[in-house]
Amino acid sequence: MNKRDQLALALDVSNSKEALELVAATIDFVGVFKIGMQLFYAEGPDLVRRIKAQGRQVFLDLKLHDIPNTVASAIDRLAVLEIDYLTVHAGGGPAMLCAAQQAAGSIQLLAVTVLTSMDEHELAAVGVSHPPAEQVHRLAQTATQAGISGLVCSALEAQALRAELGEQVFLVCPGIRPTGSDVGDQKRIATPGQALQDGANLLVVGRPIRSATDPRAAAQMILKAMQ
Ligand code: C5P
C-alpha cells in the first residue's frame, strides 16, 4: 500500500469552502479525506462527490448505531456515493453489524469499539463493569465475528489487536501526534512512525495538519515521518 493512502486527514470544519481549501492544500500528501458528522450534516453528499472527483478516497465517520434494518438501509444509500470507509458502532451488536456488513458491498466498514472519550466511570454508567481495554477486546471480537474486518482503535491498542486478530484485520488509528506537536484533548497518542510500527494500517490526523500555519508542509512532514 502506498504510504500516502495510509494517511487520512480529518476535515473537522463546518463548511465545504473550508474543507475544499484543506483538500487543495494537502492533496499531494494525503490519500484519504475523513468527513465527520459536523461536515456531512452541513454539506451532505455533494461534498463527498467533489472530493471523490479529485481522485482521493473518502472516509465517512458517521458512527452508525440503530436497528439492523435502518443501518443497512442507510449504508445502501451511502453506497451510491462510492465512499471508501464508513464507521459503525460495534456496540450496536452482532445483528446490526452483520446487517451492516451485508449492505456494505465494496465499502470498508470500520467498527468503533470504545470511544476514546470514555473511561471506566463512563462505561460503568452505561452498565459495563469491566475495564475499557477488556471492552475494546470484546467489541473487536464481536465486530470481526460479524464479518467486519476494520476496527478503529488507539495506536496503543494496535499491537495487541494485531497479535490477537491477525493480519487480515484493518486497523485505523486516530490520536496521531508528530513528536513535539500539541496533544490537545487526545489522551492515547502515538507518533506516525510508532503507530505504523505497531500495526496500524491507516492513520487519522486532524489538528496537527488542520491547525498548522502551513497545512501543506505539515502533511508533507507527516508523510515523510511515515516513510
Ligand atoms: O485533531 P485530531 O488529530 O485529534 O483528530 C482526530 C480525528 O479522529 C477526529 O476527527 C476525531 O473525531 C476522530 N476520532 C478520534 N478518536 C476515535 C474515533 C475518531 O479521535 N476513537
Side-chain angles (χ1 to χ4, degrees):
M1 199 185 208
N2 183 334
K3 283 279 181 290
R4 190 187 68 191
D5 292 331
Q6 291 188 271
L7 178 58
L9 170 59
L11 297 171
D12 294 328
V13 292
S14 49
N15 60 59
S16 287
K17 183 176 173 289
E18 287 176 59
L20 291 168
E21 280 169 9
L22 267 175
V23 171
T26 59
I27 195 157
D28 290 339
F29 311 110
V30 172
V32 183
F33 290 96
K34 183 171 92 70
I35 300 177
M37 292 181 199
Q38 177 193 8
L39 189 55
F40 191 72
Y41 292 159
E43 301 289 358
D46 183 54
L47 178 64
V48 174
R49 291 195 192 94
R50 291 174 74 175
I51 296 177
K52 285 291 294 184
Q54 300 191 44
R56 290 295 179 269
Q57 294 191 306
V58 169
F59 171 171
L60 265 193
D61 190 9
L62 299 183
K63 297 190 176 70
L64 303 180
H65 189 168
D66 207 317
I67 61 170
N69 184 58
T70 302
V71 168
S73 306
I75 294 175
D76 210 42
R77 298 315 307 149
L78 293 171
V80 176
L81 296 174
E82 297 180 3
I83 56 166
D84 300 281
Y85 300 98
L86 174 68
T87 47
V88 295
H89 267 293
M96 188 203 87
L97 295 168
C98 284
Q101 185 55 40
Q102 273 170 25
S106 62
I107 303 172
Q108 169 71 63
L109 290 186
L110 307 171
V112 178
T113 55
V114 178
L115 292 172
T116 42
S117 56
M118 293 192 83
D119 58 14
E120 59 196 276
H121 305 293
E122 293 272 330
L123 282 178
V126 294
V128 176
S129 52
H130 41 267
E134 196 179 324
Q135 183 68 355
V136 168
H137 162 89
R138 281 190 192 197
L139 289 173
Q141 290 284 355
T142 307
T144 51
Q145 280 162 15
I148 297 184
S149 60
L151 296 169
V152 180
C153 62
S154 108
L156 307 183
E157 287 147 13
Q159 217 168 17
L161 288 172
R162 175 71 65 211
E164 183 187 332
L165 300 167
E167 283 309 307
Q168 70 282 7
V169 76
F170 187 87
L171 299 177
V172 177
C173 299
I176 302 299
R177 291 292 179 269
T179 315
S181 86
D182 205 1
V183 170
D185 57 357
Q186 293 286 14
K187 295 196 173 76
R188 298 166 62 69
I189 59 164
T191 62
Q194 189 63 49
L196 288 181
Q197 206 174 312
D198 288 346
N201 297 99
L202 180 65
L203 310 186
V204 178
V205 182
R207 284 161 290 184
I209 294 176
R210 204 177 66 243
S211 307
T213 354
D214 183 350
R216 180 181 167 83
Q220 184 174 24
M221 196 193 75
I222 289 176
L223 184 62
K224 203 168 160 207
M226 289 166 68
Q227 276 154 351

